[in-house]
Amino acid sequence: MTNAIDARLAELGLTLPDAPAPAANYVPYVLSGNLVFVSGQISMNADGLITGKLGAGLSVEEGAAAARACALSLLAQVKAACGGDLSRLKRVVKLTGFVNSTDDFTDQPKVINGASDTLVEILGDAGRHSRSAVSAAALPLGVAVEIEGIFEIA
């Protein structure tokens, strides 16, 4: 059966990737009560890792696209945490976004908007969340963006 979130993803022409496996000694998510804490999801798409540094070769638009990919991976992890049933997702509580950027780059919020806007586009008001958007001198594997999230489920 298709739920409203799956239907909205299809309407937008988006598909969730398989929930990425952890690359080290950690778990992809932790369930605590009605909250799902999702580990940082790095920017990747069907073509592979989205790498680069904002302010040195990557545009804000390219960074926002990388953040959008992270948002889809976050939702994939929530779906896995919910046993494949995204209809259990009640709301996005908080995102913390890390942007691989130069010392003088100051548009981290515009980059992480790629994830925030995507979640609101998919989930409506349930996608609105608190957020932090910070710079990082480097991220794992040279990726452009990494985002972790907290989600409320039923």
Side-chain angles (χ1 to χ4, degrees), residues 3 10 32 42 94 101 143 149:
N3 67 48
S32 181
I42 59 175
K94 173 142 195 221
S101 57
V143 296

Side-chain angles (χ1 to χ4, degrees), residues 26 44-45 55 94:
Y26 64 91
M44 60 190 309
N45 59 26
K94 173 142 195 221

